[in-house]
């Protein structure tokens, strides 16, 4: 079976040959989210998801719905939260879904209320 080895040999510098298949290396495991808190009212926010067993077609779900996911490596994904995700304070549950339907356990992100803008106190400041 040298043909498969020869086929993957040219990609050895770019990836791990023979391990890149449609199937996951195992259940994705979500370890950390950065940041763990975001502010409500933003139009979008990117979150770095760190863990293991991520693959090129892994998708990050927020409260069970897929979001735009950028594959960085087998241990890191970037997910882009939407304005709807950030509309109001609360918590968001983050999971990673691999193409073979294996899903990670969930981690949460806290959406904090946006700070109220400071009111300028120019009137009467010099009395």
């Amino acid at each position: 079976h040298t043909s498969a080895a020869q086929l993957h040999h040219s990609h050895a510098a770019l990836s791990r040959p023979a391990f890149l298949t449609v199937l996951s290396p195992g259940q994705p495991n979500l370890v950390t989210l950065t940041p763990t808190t975001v502010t409500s009212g933003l139009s979008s926010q990117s979150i770095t998801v760190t863990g293991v067993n991520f693959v090129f077609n892994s998708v990050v779900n927020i409260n069970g719905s897929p979001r735009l996911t950028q594959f960085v490596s087998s241990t890191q994904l970037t997910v882009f939260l939407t304005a709807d995700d950030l509309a109001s304070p609360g918590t968001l549950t983050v999971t990673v879904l691999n193409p073979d339907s294996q899903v990670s356990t969930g981690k949460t992100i806290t959406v904090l209320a946006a700070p109220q803008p400071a009111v300028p106190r120019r009137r009467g400041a010099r009395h």
Side-chain angles (χ1 to χ4, degrees), residues 2-64:
T2 57
S3 60
Q6 289 169 345
L7 183 69
H8 289 290
H9 182 70
S10 64
H11 296 291
L14 300 176
S15 61
R16 296 183 196 143
F19 296 135
L20 292 180
T21 62
V22 177
L23 296 176
S24 310
Q27 179 177 359
N29 185 14
L30 199 165
V31 177
T32 59
L33 301 171
T34 309
T36 55
T37 59
V38 293
T39 303
S40 66
L42 299 175
S43 59
S44 68
Q45 168 79 46
S46 67
I47 302 291
T48 299
V49 178
T50 307
V52 294
N53 294 337
F54 301 155
V55 295
F56 183 73
N57 290 329
S58 293
V59 174
V60 177
N61 287 332
I62 304 295
N63 292 344

Side-chain angles (χ1 to χ4, degrees), residues 33 35-41 47 62-63 81 83-94 107-114:
L33 301 171
T36 55
T37 59
V38 293
T39 303
S40 66
I47 302 291
I62 304 295
N63 292 344
L81 301 181
D84 285 348
D85 295 331
L86 302 167
S88 58
T91 57
L92 303 173
T93 301
V94 180
K107 292 251 182 223
T108 57
I109 292 176
T110 302
V111 181
L112 302 174

